[in-house]
Amino acid sequence: MLAVEGKTVGEVPTRTQGKLTMVSIGTMGRLLNLSMTHKDDTLIVSQGRSKLQIVHKAAAVWLDVQLMPMAAPAILDNNQWWVESQSALNILQGLLQNSGSSSQLSWLGSSLDGCSSSRQGERGKTEMSSSSTSVPITSQQLQRGAQSQVEEVPSLSMIDLSPSTPCVLQAVRWGQYDEKMRVVFDYEGTVSPEILEKGNTVFVSFTTSEIATAQLVSPCPKEITVNVETTKDSCKISLESQMGGSQKTFALSAPPRLVVDFYRSSKKASSPVNEIPQAQDKPQKVIAEQLPLPPITGEKTGSLGKKLVVIDPGHGGKDPGAMANGLREKDLNLQFALCLAERIKKLGFNVRLTRENDVYLKLRERTDLANQWQADMFISVHANALPKGRHASGTEIYIMALPTDKDAMELALIENRELTGENGSESAAQVDQKTKMLLNILGNMQQNAKISESTDVAEYLFNAGKKQGLNMRRVAQAPFFVLRGASMPAVLIETGFLTEKSEAKRLASSSFQQQFADAIARGVAAYLKGR
């Protein structure tokens, strides 16, 4: 039963999801007299001026402009929204507090009373704390939470190895750090896979696998060797370490995943990488001198202490981007980027472009360059497009986060399909699956260290555009691969819609490009001068 200040207000339907108890968030909203709107794959719950956005299959929600984690992804099933029981209390409590209410929510007189908190306690610091209701958390707290999630975990002896429920391997992720290599197995099932450690080798067995054997190749075969045996009823993986150190294996839940850490015998210097998204993504060593680099005025660490802005003209080379009304997106992106770079330099900042001519860069190379140059801001420039029969106009600014709505998610899917050109063996469907995996990573709080700063940048640029009379459509969020991995505030600008004839003509106009660049540059300066 749902209670407010200890008094029951009504019964809430429940269902089980593995070991978790899910509750009807819609019923809770009605019992609390909250306003609710269901649009596509998003449920918006509001009270006064505060708004909660719940996205289907995302393990985090937006509360106004801040992100809150949940113990499991939200589920939309037959027009009914289901959220893990303790998480439901947390996010609705946060909404009430943001709207000025001090009422405390709790579960009383049912199996929900205390059941989720006990599970949360088992995870300790690896997931949300259930000792008290939560409020929106800051980006710094998100970063600390992500770190504790992968460091303070149950020991191997706590892992349930019972094979009573099928264990289906969904994805493999790799991470490289100074002192270790990390392998993360994402899987579905109510129990962990079978694990055996023998010498410097770890054996992991799944009931079956939904990924190709080729995707299990080690990105660093000189350090970790991978062997795979698959049959109709099993997928057995062995990981052999050549690193000379020990290894540690542990499980995490919500969503279920198995983590294997292989430690080096000595702390040799190696380039720390937050996370390599997929085993089939071969590690890329990006060398700045091999790419087209424009001149840069001064040095970031010089006496002038100038801030550095990296501008990324989207697409290029073999990838033309969107094409409509006689225009190619890659050409427009470069024109806008060059104008913007010139304007920002005139305002006293350093600028570098990821490309200054018609060359092809992989998505990851773009933010790799920004990180290598220690940029203070990353701006990726694009042009929008809609399918036949749909119309829209104006500039949109995106940050990499959970999607605002279905249109934002569709745009991310389209932009991310550039990945099909990076690996000929990958289809658009496989890339779309990568995008959905990225969405899940975002929900797990592992890519949000700069989300607050990126939101601020987007707002500064949006407001600057409005002041200069530009048609600024909206600030939104979606899982864009080109923004993933940026260690600085990062945004993606869709300058306008190529599929709108009148707007396409305007986008190709030199005078409009100058007006646009001037407005955005003013927003960049306003943000950086305040830092």
Side-chain angles (χ1 to χ4, degrees):
M1 302 292 285
L2 179 64
V4 178
E5 298 293 343
K7 296 182 179 179
T8 300
V9 294
E11 186 173 355
V12 179
T14 65
R15 61 185 276 182
T16 57
Q17 183 76 18
K19 294 182 179 180
L20 299 175
T21 300
M22 312 293 283
V23 297
S24 168
I25 196 76
T27 300
M28 294 178 69
R30 287 188 289 273
L31 292 173
L32 298 172
N33 296 316
L34 302 176
S35 174
M36 292 182 291
T37 303
H38 176 191
K39 181 181 178 182
D40 298 323
D41 58 355
T42 302
L43 175 67
I44 300 175
V45 185
S46 57
Q47 169 94 332
R49 293 185 177 181
S50 292
K51 180 171 65 176
L52 186 70
Q53 296 182 66
I54 304 172
V55 180
H56 176 49
K57 293 187 178 180
V61 299
W62 277 102
L63 177 56
D64 296 327
V65 297
Q66 294 174 300
L67 204 60
M68 293 183 68
M70 298 193 297
I75 298 172
L76 173 59
D77 186 17
N78 293 325
N79 292 320
Q80 182 93 310
W81 284 86
W82 300 93
V83 173
E84 190 274 329
S85 58
Q86 185 62 37
S87 301
L89 287 183
N90 291 344
I91 62 177
L92 291 181
Q93 186 73 69
L95 177 65
L96 293 177
Q97 290 177 353
N98 274 19
S99 63
S101 172
S102 60
S103 300
Q104 296 295 312
L105 306 180
S106 61
W107 296 117
L108 291 180
S110 73
S111 59
L112 287 173
D113 188 12
C115 71
S116 292
S117 60
S118 65
R119 295 190 190 100
Q120 299 287 341
E122 290 175 3
R123 287 193 292 270
K125 295 183 180 180
T126 63
E127 305 289 348
M128 296 188 310
S129 170
S130 63
S131 59
S132 62
T133 54
S134 71
V135 296
I137 55 181
T138 65
S139 60
Q140 289 78 16
Q141 289 171 316
L142 286 174
Q143 189 175 26
R144 290 196 297 269
Q147 292 169 348
S148 65
Q149 183 184 41
V150 297
E151 294 299 336
E152 300 187 39
V153 296
S155 64
L156 182 61
S157 62
M158 296 175 62
I159 300 175
D160 179 9
L161 301 181
S162 170
S164 59
T165 303
C167 214
V168 183
L169 178 63
Q170 300 289 319
V172 178
R173 294 176 278 132
W174 296 78
Q176 181 172 314
Y177 305 84
D178 282 333
E179 77 284 1
K180 65 186 176 184
M181 284 284 292
R182 165 164 291 174
V183 190
V184 181
F185 296 96
D186 295 310
Y187 65 93
E188 286 186 354
T190 57
V191 296
S192 298
E194 296 182 2
I195 307 162
L196 173 65
E197 295 185 48
K198 188 175 181 180
N200 62 341
T201 304
V202 175
F203 300 88
V204 186
S205 297
F206 298 89
T207 305
T208 185
S209 171
E210 291 189 355
I211 63 176
T213 302
Q215 296 177 335
L216 292 168
V217 176
S218 170
C220 301
K222 291 184 178 180
E223 294 191 304
I224 304 293
T225 302
V226 180
N227 290 301
V228 184
E229 293 182 11
T230 58
T231 65
K232 183 179 179 180
D233 301 319
S234 69
C235 175
K236 298 179 180 180
I237 303 168
S238 66
L239 306 166
E240 183 178 359
S241 172
Q242 309 297 328
M243 298 165 63
S246 61
Q247 61 256 358
K248 180 180 179 182
T249 307
F250 53 86
L252 295 173
S253 58
R257 54 215 186 273
L258 175 71
V259 181
V260 183
D261 283 339
F262 293 95
Y263 291 88
R264 295 183 173 87
S265 57
S266 61
K267 294 185 178 180
K268 296 180 180 179
S270 63
S271 300
V273 179
N274 287 337
E275 188 176 350
I276 302 171
Q278 299 256 1
Q280 71 269 27
D281 289 345
K282 296 181 180 179
Q284 302 157 2
K285 184 178 181 181
V286 180
I287 302 176
E289 287 71 22
Q290 294 178 346
L291 298 173
L293 304 182
I296 178 170
T297 305
E299 292 293 333
K300 175 178 170 58
T301 57
S303 58
L304 294 178
K306 290 183 178 181
K307 301 286 188 179
L308 172 62
V309 179
V310 170
I311 302 174
D312 170 49
H315 306 281
K318 65 181 180 180
D319 175 25
M323 293 187 290
N325 291 304
L327 298 173
R328 298 185 301 183
E329 182 188 353
K330 68 174 183 177
D331 300 327
L332 285 178
N333 294 342
L334 183 57
Q335 292 168 16
F336 274 94
L338 291 170
C339 287
L340 181 57
E342 180 184 356
R343 294 288 178 169
I344 293 175
K345 284 180 182 178
K346 286 183 178 180
L347 293 177
F349 300 95
N350 288 333
V351 180
R352 276 189 166 178
L353 281 79
T354 57
R355 67 179 181 96
E356 61 176 356
N357 48 39
D358 189 20
V359 297
Y360 176 75
L361 294 177
K362 297 179 181 179
L363 294 180
R364 182 161 182 170
E365 286 178 336
R366 300 168 188 263
T367 47
D368 278 349
L369 286 172
N371 290 338
Q372 181 179 330
W373 294 332
Q374 299 179 33
D376 296 284
M377 185 186 296
F378 178 83
I379 300 174
S380 189
V381 180
H382 291 255
N384 221 328
L386 285 174
K388 188 175 181 179
R390 293 190 59 188
H391 301 278
S393 63
T395 298
E396 297 181 332
I397 303 177
Y398 286 87
I399 63 171
M400 193 188 81
L402 298 172
T404 305
D405 51 36
K406 186 175 181 180
D407 285 345
M409 186 63 187
E410 286 299 321
L411 178 62
L413 288 169
I414 292 170
E415 294 288 4
N416 291 346
R417 281 172 193 156
E418 181 182 335
L419 287 169
T420 58
E422 298 180 9
N423 186 337
S425 64
E426 288 192 290
S427 65
Q430 288 174 314
V431 172
D432 288 352
Q433 185 60 36
K434 276 190 175 183
T435 301
K436 292 171 184 176
M437 281 185 60
L438 178 56
L439 181 66
N440 191 52
I441 292 170
L442 286 166
N444 288 332
M445 303 296 101
Q446 295 182 28
Q447 296 291 322
N448 290 283
K450 294 294 178 182
I451 198 168
S452 179
E453 293 96 325
S454 297
T455 301
D456 289 344
V457 169
E459 293 292 348
Y460 269 88
L461 302 188
F462 183 87
N463 292 332
K466 288 187 68 175
K467 287 181 180 179
Q468 295 296 308
L470 299 178
N471 178 13
M472 305 302 290
R473 191 163 185 254
R474 66 172 181 168
V475 171
Q477 61 259 358
F480 291 103
F481 265 95
V482 72
L483 300 181
R484 186 187 180 190
S487 62
M488 73 294 299
V491 298
L492 182 146
I493 299 179
E494 297 281 353
T495 54
F497 289 80
L498 286 181
T499 46
E500 294 295 323
K501 189 172 182 179
S502 60
E503 185 148 283
K505 183 178 180 180
R506 184 164 56 251
L507 292 173
S509 164
S510 175
S511 60
F512 177 77
Q513 291 173 10
Q514 294 292 337
Q515 179 191 4
F516 185 93
D518 183 65
I520 298 302
R522 290 174 184 269
V524 169
Y527 174 83
L528 291 177
K529 287 179 180 178
R531 291 300 183 273

